[in-house]
Amino acid sequence: MDTRRAPRAVIDPKVRKVGFFAPPELSQSGLPDPISLPSSSLSPVMIPPPRHSSENLLHHARPLAPTVPGASSVSIEGSVVAGGSYGSSSELFPAPMSPASSSYSSSRFVGGGDGDYCLNGAAVASPGRGGGKAATSFPRGGFESPAVKASSVPASGLTTVSVVNDSSLGIRGREKADNGGGSALEAKDQATNSKQKKDKTTKAERRALQEAQRAAKAAAKAEGNKASGTVTSGTAKPAKAIKPPHKVDNSSVAVSEKKGCDRPPEKDRKKDVPQPRMQYDDESRVEKAKRRAVVKQTEARNRVELFRHLPQYEHGSLLPDLEAKFFQLDTVHPAVYKAGLQYLSGNISGSNARCIAMLQAFQDAIRDYRVPPEKTFVRDLTAKISSYVSFLIECRPLCISMGNAIKFLKTRIAKLPLTLSESESKASLHSDIERFINEKIILADKVIVKHAVTKIRDGDVLLTYGLSSAVEMILLHAHKLGKQFRVIIVDSRPQLRGKILLRRLVEKGLSCTYTQINALSYIMHEVTRVFLGASSVLSNGTVYSGVGTACVAMIAHSFRVPVLVCCEAYKFSERVQLDSICSNELGDPEVISKVLGREDVNYLDGWANTENLQLLNLIYDATPSDYISMIVTDYGMVPPTSVPVIVREYRREQLWI
Amino acid sequence: MADPKISAYYQTRMAHFGAVTNDWLAQAQSASAITTTPPPPSPPPTAATLSDPSHQKPSFSVIDEFNRWRKQPDLAEAVAAIRALAAVIRSSMATTMMQLEIELKSASDSLKSWDTTSISLTAACDLFMRYVTRTAALEYEDFNSAKSRLIERADKFGEISYTARKVIAMLSQDFIFNGCTILVHGFSRVVLEVLKLAAQNKKLFRVLCTEGRPDRTGLRLSNELAKLDVPVKLVIDSAVAYTMDEVDMVFVGADGVVESGGIINMMGTYQIAMVAKSMSKPVYVAAESYKFARLYPLDQKDLAPALRPVDFGVPIPSKVEVECSARDYTPPQYLTLLFTDLGVLTPSVVSDELIQLYL
């Protein structure tokens, strides 16, 4: 970057450091020239941001920081990098507070925890941080607002602009701290940017911090709409719970960006503007959702930076907690509660099974539903369904097929003619759900099987990965038709779902081979066809399925083996996803550290205590369409390029279902 | 558009893709109007078949009709089949829609069985059935008006198919520029039409014809082209890669266009397409829209076999096997564009069309 370039008026997009990098040498030459530490101090994956002038900072400073005493603009030369998040131990460190800010920040900070950080600002701004600190001028700028004042840059000469954790405005989550660029999103965000680096504190400390911030927020907050969020009770309230479901509903909308928009008063605006999916790095939102939550979730420690926008909770306590709530659930129908429990415990998994379980639970719930006085059937029922959906999400994030089914149900509810009586409406909904399950899932599977068995010839060696209901049906049917073939089942830890498939196939007499995914390239040369299942197929032909599927498809493609994906049409989504990161599900990392039956493999015991160790257990991945030869749906065999056509036709068809 | 000349079929296409513009279409239509429409079928045979109400007659007349249509020069098999099926509707004695559909189905089946290996025949019959019976209004009208609607649609479909070649020729003119060298494989009447029109438009180009063993298609094609005064050069099949450098584009026809967007064509097409792709030469396929088939081959062996005995000119020992498959499958990634009567399309649109028609 040209250091002599005029400051840009454009806010840079948030810059997030990814991957590993070595901490750059700290420049002791004083702030002035952070950029002068050019490439040498930048990790290869970091994008050096441009310098921002102080004007920019002030310009973007949130007006809400009234308490900031005549902040002088952060000397940007100093730039800023509240390196915070970038560091190998990034998540464990608090946001670097500009030491200078400590002076006034302590006045602003109500939380005890903050105080600590402030003081540590200078100290903290050191090595542990990795990344970007000093050297790179990450324009932390825009965001933070006033906080950046720090006229006097810390003695250490490190430029750490700290984004002060402005408790009064809520925390925008680590995101900000992490990102160097003052982004437009920041500007929009009401919370003031302070990025409080989450330290490796205990839960109690964090909770105390958040309580304090919340209190401060309530006190100093100018906006009224935040206030509504702070006073909820712990139990889920259907009305408030509407918000997350709306976000969920929009999962099929192609938005996976952060919710940068202002948080509208929940009840009103959420209906106008589709909310993007909830991003879990915004602590304030997470807090709010937690307060409403029925399932008590505790955030996991040691979260992987790249996936911070996805929720991850400690799994150990969830199930017992939820079970204990059995007698307290007046807001959740028992059938829905049962479904939620089954999801949480992993008894029901696989998108078809989950979708059917959910729909049947809704059938029961609708049957038992009575309209409260003074309320309309349609609206109240929709609200109730939304609350159930948010409960289910707390148990386990929705898959795309469930999202589509929920949309269908809500459309049907909305389309109920007002002349029907309550019981007639309920009966009509009941039969609609019944029809959906029959047509879109059960019959669709039959059609898929019929098409796919034509592609199996005698002498074939078929490979499949994991456990897919559609593929299982195809193999069993082909065997019943008398075709001679053998099956190779590829499986992977930690779920080892292929074993279930293996057992079922062997019972019926098919000849099977079982192997783990690391032997894939070894075995692929024998294979003639690959059959895969899918959780969803996206509009650009990308197949979204269990983690490991992309590997199988890629290796098959390189061996020129045709890959057939079997997926019912109701799972198709209008979303477009280019990688597996922006939207995924994180499972319990604990299961990775243990190997069933091998107690001696205990090297990862106590992994949570290790600072620089994070375990990642992804549930889904995205397979690019180039690796897919054909998709078998209930509309026939189509190439991956035809998925948007089917989505279009399908939506049209749904209008007159 | 209320323009009666523009059929409903085109109108939908225009609405969907805008690939065929109005004046464009008018051009195509007028181009096709130049050729004389085939003489209407002579009444006596039809009347004779009509008078006999036995069940056997309809299928009998279908094949007859079919053969009669086929006798005309230059008519594609599939178009003859379409005309024959239209005639079935016209001459049908059925009194209900179900009966009519059953009759049509059996006629279509007998036509398909006439040559089971012909993809375009099968595809055309299937498409005809779908296209004709797809009108939603059928259920609400009384039988006679419904029947006349069917006849109308059938005739339109026949017209479109018949004039398809002309439309394709018009569409392809933009892609042939002066001084270009075109490599042609197989004897496709559509491609011949394209080249004829280009020659008539006084474009200067030359053609490389592959020999096309064992059918000797190259020899026939070069004969035709020589009559048009187009400079032709014959190359043996193995010399394609050798000459690919000097080629600007490859033009082939198709026996059938499959759902993935690939084509099934005379043996050797896949090879040529692969060579062309590796040398970055465009491969253009000229195919009528009735050739879109609901097949989806995954590899070469996934096709229904069509065998053709190969004569090497010298006796072969009986122990030696001969590969006598007559056609191969070219996957869509090797094809650049498809010229069809629906417009100039990319291979992925084929599935789009089929889904809309079959949904």
Side-chain angles (χ1 to χ4, degrees):
Chain A
M1 297 229 118
D2 182 5
T3 62
R4 284 159 289 286
R5 219 158 64 168
R8 288 164 33 172
V10 173
I11 301 295
D12 276 311
K14 289 190 187 181
V15 174
R16 179 174 263 238
K17 232 154 85 164
V18 296
F20 304 105
F21 44 84
E25 313 84 48
L26 306 171
S27 148
Q28 297 301 324
S29 59
L31 301 178
D33 242 330
I35 301 189
S36 63
L37 293 179
S39 27
S40 60
S41 49
L42 282 179
S43 95
V45 296
M46 275 167 33
I47 306 165
R51 299 176 51 173
H52 278 239
S53 70
S54 51
E55 290 77 40
N56 273 351
L57 285 180
L58 282 182
H59 173 65
H60 298 293
R62 297 247 119 226
L64 331 150
T67 60
V68 176
S72 45
S73 56
V74 171
S75 28
I76 311 179
E77 304 81 359
S79 66
V80 240
V81 175
S85 45
Y86 302 124
S88 41
S89 51
S90 58
E91 44 170 331
L92 304 174
F93 279 30
M97 295 299 207
S98 125
S101 61
S102 58
S103 54
Y104 70 89
S105 54
S106 42
S107 66
R108 310 181 70 210
F109 281 18
V110 183
D114 292 357
D116 294 339
Y117 303 150
C118 289
L119 299 173
N120 288 339
V124 148
S126 51
R129 286 286 145 115
K133 261 188 305 146
T136 47
S137 49
F138 267 124
R140 275 305 231 135
F143 20 124
E144 305 20 288
S145 67
V148 246
K149 322 342 186 172
S151 42
S152 52
V153 177
S156 68
L158 295 179
T159 65
T160 51
V161 169
S162 51
V163 191
V164 169
N165 180 8
D166 191 295
S167 52
S168 62
L169 295 178
I171 305 175
R172 173 55 178 114
R174 290 199 209 198
E175 269 286 314
K176 300 218 222 104
D178 299 353
N179 301 324
S183 65
L185 288 177
E186 309 258 2
K188 276 196 276 182
D189 209 272
Q190 306 159 343
T192 18
N193 14 86
S194 43
K195 200 38 234 307
Q196 188 105 160
K197 238 342 169 92
K198 201 170 217 170
D199 194 357
K200 190 178 178 184
T201 55
T202 63
K203 275 193 256 171
E205 260 184 53
R206 286 201 301 261
R207 190 130 330 140
L209 172 60
Q210 283 158 357
E211 287 297 324
Q213 286 161 1
R214 214 177 298 134
K217 190 201 312 188
K221 174 120 53 114
E223 285 110 319
N225 54 6
K226 285 285 178 70
S228 64
T230 56
V231 248
T232 51
S233 62
T235 58
K237 289 209 163 57
K240 291 208 156 65
I242 289 179
K243 194 146 173 244
H246 269 263
K247 292 186 198 131
V248 163
D249 286 350
N250 296 310
S251 60
S252 63
V253 174
V255 261
S256 53
E257 357 8 270
K258 336 238 174 190
K259 47 178 184 217
C261 49
D262 292 333
R263 211 160 337 156
E266 287 179 13
K267 293 181 194 168
D268 304 339
R269 285 195 237 146
K270 62 180 165 291
K271 289 195 165 71
D272 307 344
V273 175
Q275 302 271 344
R277 281 187 300 279
M278 178 151 158
Q279 297 291 336
Y280 287 85
D281 26 18
D282 179 337
E283 290 176 15
S284 53
R285 292 239 188 179
V286 169
E287 273 309 303
K288 188 182 294 204
K290 258 200 245 177
R291 278 193 300 274
R292 285 194 297 263
V294 176
V295 179
K296 189 150 67 142
Q297 293 157 327
T298 54
E299 274 203 15
R301 297 188 292 170
N302 281 27
R303 296 176 59 168
V304 177
E305 187 56 36
L306 194 59
F307 289 93
R308 204 173 269 291
H309 56 286
L310 301 172
Q312 171 137 54
Y313 303 111
E314 310 244 323
H315 283 240
S317 57
L318 284 176
L319 189 54
D321 265 348
L322 189 58
E323 279 171 351
K325 287 217 173 100
F326 182 62
F327 294 105
Q328 300 161 16
L329 292 171
D330 42 347
T331 51
V332 177
H333 188 274
V336 178
Y337 173 73
K338 173 174 147 196
L341 264 184
Q342 284 172 323
Y343 291 164
L344 195 48
S345 59
N347 281 346
I348 294 190
S349 57
S351 52
N352 275 347
R354 286 172 67 189
C355 191
I356 292 180
M358 176 186 78
L359 285 176
Q360 286 176 338
F362 283 169
Q363 265 183 330
D364 287 344
I366 290 179
R367 189 193 58 218
D368 294 339
Y369 170 73
R370 296 264 176 280
V371 183
E374 305 297 325
K375 296 224 166 125
T376 62
F377 179 78
V378 168
R379 285 211 205 120
D380 194 58
L381 184 57
T382 310
K384 207 105 185 94
I385 297 282
S386 304
S387 74
Y388 294 155
V389 170
S390 68
F391 168 73
L392 290 177
I393 294 176
E394 289 158 16
C395 297
R396 188 172 163 190
L398 291 187
C399 52
I400 298 182
S401 60
M402 291 166 73
N404 286 347
I406 293 170
K407 261 206 312 198
F408 160 78
L409 182 59
K410 290 200 172 166
T411 318
R412 294 311 300 164
I413 295 178
K415 283 205 156 64
L416 282 174
L418 294 169
T419 51
L420 286 185
S421 75
E422 184 183 321
S423 55
E424 282 172 3
S425 308
K426 293 202 297 191
S428 148
L429 284 176
H430 192 280
S431 69
D432 278 340
I433 295 181
E434 200 60 40
R435 199 156 47 102
F436 183 88
I437 295 180
N438 270 335
E439 282 178 19
K440 305 292 179 199
I441 305 183
I442 300 184
L443 278 181
D445 278 340
K446 295 206 169 93
V447 175
I448 289 177
V449 167
K450 189 174 68 112
H451 283 294
V453 291
T454 60
K455 290 300 175 195
I456 302 180
R457 310 161 298 193
D458 285 345
D460 263 347
V461 178
L462 309 177
L463 183 133
T464 182
Y465 175 73
L467 171 63
S468 160
S469 52
V471 175
E472 182 189 338
M473 282 192 246
I474 292 170
L475 295 174
L476 290 175
H477 187 70
H479 183 71
K480 200 158 59 151
L481 291 179
K483 303 208 179 197
Q484 303 299 316
F485 59 94
R486 65 184 182 91
V487 181
I488 299 180
I489 300 172
V490 176
D491 203 3
S492 73
R493 282 197 68 227
Q495 291 190 335
L496 289 177
R497 314 239 306 145
K499 286 190 178 170
I500 304 173
L501 179 64
L502 178 65
R503 190 185 304 275
R504 291 183 191 164
L505 292 183
V506 168
E507 267 173 2
K508 293 285 170 34
L510 279 82
S511 45
C512 304
T513 309
Y514 176 84
T515 178
Q516 297 279 325
I517 196 167
N518 45 6
L520 198 53
S521 52
Y522 173 80
I523 205 155
M524 189 57 80
H525 71 98
E526 305 177 347
V527 177
T528 58
R529 301 262 191 272
V530 174
F531 279 89
L532 298 173
S535 172
S536 164
V537 182
L538 309 177
S539 269
N540 57 343
T542 304
V543 172
Y544 192 69
S545 183
V547 67
T549 310
C551 275
V552 175
M554 187 166 67
I555 300 205
H557 179 80
S558 70
F559 278 77
R560 300 188 55 94
V561 174
V563 175
L564 286 76
V565 171
C566 310
C567 178
E568 298 85 353
Y570 84 100
K571 291 182 185 166
F572 287 2
S573 162
E574 294 141 353
R575 252 168 56 182
V576 171
Q577 202 170 317
L578 301 175
D579 56 41
S580 310
I581 299 173
C582 56
S583 160
N584 208 320
E585 187 185 330
L586 295 179
D588 185 9
E590 198 61 44
V591 298
I592 295 185
S593 59
K594 301 258 180 295
V595 179
L596 205 55
R598 289 288 305 272
E599 304 310 324
D600 52 322
V601 178
N602 58 356
Y603 311 112
L604 287 181
D605 283 351
W607 63 272
N609 301 323
T610 319
E611 288 176 6
N612 48 4
L613 178 60
Q614 292 126 25
L615 295 190
L616 179 65
N617 183 6
L618 280 180
I619 305 286
Y620 293 112
D621 70 13
T623 307
S625 61
D626 318 328
Y627 301 145
I628 312 286
S629 312
M630 173 204 296
I631 303 186
V632 189
T633 77
D634 38 328
Y635 288 86
M637 299 184 277
V638 296
T641 47
S642 293
V643 172
V645 177
I646 292 183
V647 169
R648 184 182 78 213
E649 298 295 324
Y650 190 75
R651 299 276 169 261
R652 207 185 300 156
E653 185 189 314
Q654 271 200 328
L655 292 180
W656 33 270
I657 275 188
Chain B
M1 327 273 117
D3 188 339
K5 280 240 225 69
I6 300 181
S7 63
Y9 196 41
Y10 277 103
Q11 286 172 28
T12 346
R13 294 281 76 75
M14 277 196 292
H16 275 266
F17 306 114
V20 181
T21 61
N22 231 343
D23 45 343
W24 204 93
L25 200 46
Q27 247 188 321
Q29 297 280 17
S30 56
S32 65
I34 294 175
T35 59
T36 54
T37 49
S42 46
T46 335
T49 56
L50 269 180
S51 59
D52 190 337
S54 78
H55 248 302
Q56 241 263 305
K57 278 309 169 182
S59 70
F60 181 75
S61 82
V62 155
I63 299 291
D64 262 2
E65 279 282 322
F66 181 52
N67 286 330
R68 192 163 14 90
W69 281 101
R70 275 182 61 238
K71 284 205 191 85
Q72 283 162 28
D74 257 11
L75 196 63
E77 248 169 28
V79 181
I82 292 169
R83 294 282 206 210
L85 286 174
V88 163
I89 302 182
R90 207 176 281 117
S91 62
S92 155
M93 305 286 288
T95 48
T96 65
M97 198 47 66
M98 277 302 276
Q99 223 178 333
L100 185 55
E101 281 183 25
I102 293 174
E103 262 183 51
L104 260 183
K105 184 97 183 34
S106 70
S108 152
D109 285 341
S110 58
L111 276 175
K112 283 196 243 183
S113 59
W114 180 83
D115 180 5
T116 48
T117 62
S118 169
I119 297 180
S120 61
L121 191 57
T122 315
C125 290
D126 284 340
L127 279 173
F128 179 86
M129 297 289 294
R130 285 298 304 185
Y131 181 72
V132 157
T133 56
R134 201 174 165 228
T135 48
L138 277 180
E139 293 107 51
Y140 300 102
E141 300 172 7
D142 67 293
F143 180 68
N144 281 326
S145 52
K147 182 169 168 184
S148 55
R149 280 283 294 280
L150 281 186
I151 294 179
E152 197 185 304
R153 285 177 78 87
D155 283 340
K156 274 200 187 112
F157 196 66
E159 264 309 302
I160 292 168
S161 311
Y162 182 72
T163 57
R165 280 199 202 138
K166 298 281 178 211
V167 175
I168 293 175
M170 292 287 304
L171 275 171
S172 334
Q173 292 312 299
D174 283 335
F175 290 83
I176 302 178
F177 49 90
N178 272 329
C180 68
T181 304
I182 305 179
L183 177 68
V184 181
H185 179 71
F187 187 82
S188 162
R189 285 167 289 194
V190 188
V191 176
L192 185 56
E193 193 70 39
V194 171
L195 297 175
K196 253 194 221 170
L197 193 58
Q200 279 169 13
N201 290 343
K202 305 278 186 280
K203 295 214 180 178
L204 302 172
F205 60 96
R206 71 187 186 105
V207 177
L208 297 179
C209 278
T210 54
E211 185 193 359
R213 298 210 67 220
D215 294 325
R216 283 185 267 136
T217 57
L219 306 180
R220 287 191 281 152
L221 187 63
S222 49
N223 226 343
E224 298 287 330
L225 288 175
K227 288 187 207 153
L228 299 172
D229 280 334
V230 173
V232 183
K233 183 165 172 185
L234 268 177
V235 302
I236 55 173
D237 297 329
S238 354
V240 166
Y242 176 81
T243 55
M244 190 56 82
D245 274 338
E246 54 188 53
V247 162
D248 291 312
M249 65 184 84
V250 178
F251 246 103
V252 292
D255 281 350
V257 181
V258 294
E259 193 150 9
S260 59
I263 58 167
I264 297 180
N265 200 18
M266 176 176 155
M267 180 64 77
T269 312
Y270 184 26
Q271 213 158 281
I272 294 179
M274 237 195 250
V275 173
K277 167 121 189 221
S278 70
M279 297 206 193
S280 314
K281 309 285 180 186
V283 176
Y284 299 132
V285 176
E288 301 94 317
S289 64
Y290 55 76
K291 288 182 177 162
F292 288 5
R294 286 223 93 179
L295 300 168
Y296 203 130
L298 291 174
D299 50 33
Q300 301 303 318
K301 303 296 181 292
D302 223 0
L303 303 171
L307 301 177
R308 193 221 183 283
V310 181
D311 175 24
F312 290 101
V314 292
I316 313 280
S318 50
K319 281 188 294 198
V320 175
E321 282 179 39
V322 177
E323 172 64 59
C324 34
S325 181
R327 53 190 190 201
D328 61 19
Y329 163 65
T330 307
Q333 55 261 34
Y334 299 105
L335 306 175
T336 319
L337 287 176
L338 301 177
F339 298 136
T340 71
D341 45 304
L342 305 176
V344 179
L345 312 172
T346 57
S348 44
V349 173
V350 176
S351 179
D352 192 341
E353 283 295 315
L354 285 174
I355 287 176
Q356 292 187 355
L357 202 52
Y358 277 88
L359 197 62

